[in-house]
Amino acid sequence: MLTRIDHIGIACHDLDATVEFYRATYGFEVFHTEVNEEQGVREAMLKINETSDGGASYLQLLEPTREDSAVGKWLAKNGEGVHHIAFGTADVDGDAAGIRDKGVRVLYEEPRIGSMGSRITFLHPKDCHGVLTELVTSAAVESPEH
């Protein structure tokens, strides 16, 4: 069962400048940063709030580390802006299977490792009214890592 909006992914050209905008404008602080070599992105997670299921909601700012990455290609075609929405779930495997059974294409055969050690998969945007959708099972996060 999907329990919350885990994060909104925002593609950007300059991660540091984008982080500074969200910090100066809204007061959001960086909770976690990392480079995901497999996905070809440098990212910052800005925590917005805690949720009743023990998770949190974030803005995920994504800067491509290479032009041929999925985010790099998307950014070249669309410019900066909302890249995807992610829903939190306690069981990414089970929810992905149930959604696949309803005719929605799941992009990964098996969930992959995502931000902060989470398990993730994506749903095809053409099956989700044009929205790239991510399913996320969060790893236990006890304290921020930068």
Side-chain angles (χ1 to χ4, degrees):
M1 175 175 72
L2 305 181
T3 58
R4 62 191 158 82
I5 294 175
D6 183 86
H7 66 271
I8 309 268
I10 300 172
C12 62
H13 292 292
D14 183 334
L15 184 65
D16 296 328
T18 306
V19 164
E20 179 55 25
F21 168 81
Y22 281 96
R23 190 203 59 72
T25 305
Y26 305 116
F28 298 152
E29 295 295 337
V30 173
F31 180 78
H32 178 83
T33 61
E34 69 181 83
V35 174
N36 185 318
E37 296 293 344
E38 179 185 0
Q39 294 180 18
V41 295
R42 186 170 78 111
E43 67 176 78
M45 297 293 273
L46 285 63
K47 185 186 274 189
I48 308 305
N49 68 321
E50 304 289 335
T51 61
S52 62
D53 67 356
S57 293
Y58 301 91
L59 287 181
Q60 179 187 46
L61 306 179
L62 301 160
E63 175 190 73
T65 58
R66 57 182 197 271
E67 292 179 13
D68 69 338
S69 69
V71 171
K73 291 176 187 175
W74 187 92
L75 195 56
K77 180 179 178 183
N78 300 292
E80 293 185 309
V82 174
H83 178 262
H84 67 275
I85 186 168
F87 294 108
T89 173
D91 182 10
V92 69
D93 299 271
D95 283 333
I99 291 169
R100 180 182 289 120
D101 289 346
K102 294 176 182 174
V104 174
R105 287 174 280 179
V106 178
L107 299 183
Y108 302 153
E109 193 62 35
E110 294 291 325
R112 297 181 182 178
I113 300 301
S115 300
M116 300 185 292
S118 61
R119 296 187 70 242
I120 65 166
T121 196
F122 285 90
L123 309 178
H124 200 293
K126 289 185 178 177
D127 297 343
C128 299
H129 298 272
V131 178
L132 179 61
T133 304
E134 183 179 2
L135 305 180
V136 178
T137 296
S138 297
V141 177
E142 304 216 358
S143 63
E145 294 179 25
H146 294 283

